[in-house]
Amino acid sequence: RTPVYVPSLYVYTNKDGYVKVSLPEAGNKKYNIRFYEEDDTFLFELKDLKVKTFKIDKANFFHAGWFRFELLEDGKVLEKHKFFLESDF
């Protein structure tokens, strides 16, 4: 049986192709998100996030495909997951 991909509750792509971030405890807890290529190459990090929901333009990821992330809450890994960005063409 093939495993089914289940998107993250915190970091996922929306129908417009943006990466959507939802952090219900933002402001009360400290969140950082580290983004990586699928091969674990580090891309960038968003630190000390205080906004509960926001989106990241897919142009920040330079290409379509799978990306990984680590979501940290108060310095501890809350989630390690991945998302897929579709090509615009």
Side-chain angles (χ1 to χ4, degrees), residues 3 8 11 19 22 34 43 50 59 70-71 75 78 82 84 89:
S8 166
V11 181
V19 177
S22 296
R34 296 178 187 142
L43 292 172
K50 299 191 185 329
E70 289 180 353
L71 174 62
L78 176 64
K82 64 184 179 177
F84 186 79
F89 17 48

Side-chain angles (χ1 to χ4, degrees), residues 6-42:
V6 178
S8 166
L9 296 175
Y10 305 104
V11 181
Y12 50 91
T13 52
N14 69 10
K15 62 180 173 39
D16 299 323
Y18 290 97
V19 177
K20 180 111 186 211
V21 178
S22 296
L23 305 170
E25 294 292 320
N28 298 326
K29 297 186 177 185
K30 182 179 176 185
Y31 290 99
N32 292 357
I33 306 174
R34 296 178 187 142
F35 292 95
Y36 301 88
E37 293 279 0
E38 193 174 20
D39 69 0
D40 294 335
T41 303
F42 177 77

Side-chain angles (χ1 to χ4, degrees), residues 35-64:
F35 292 95
Y36 301 88
E37 293 279 0
E38 193 174 20
D39 69 0
D40 294 335
T41 303
F42 177 77
L43 292 172
F44 61 94
E45 181 173 8
L46 301 177
K47 296 181 178 181
D48 202 14
L49 299 167
K50 299 191 185 329
V51 180
K52 292 185 185 213
T53 59
F54 61 94
K55 61 187 178 181
I56 304 168
D57 193 302
K58 59 186 164 189
N60 290 290
F61 295 94
F62 305 117
H63 64 82

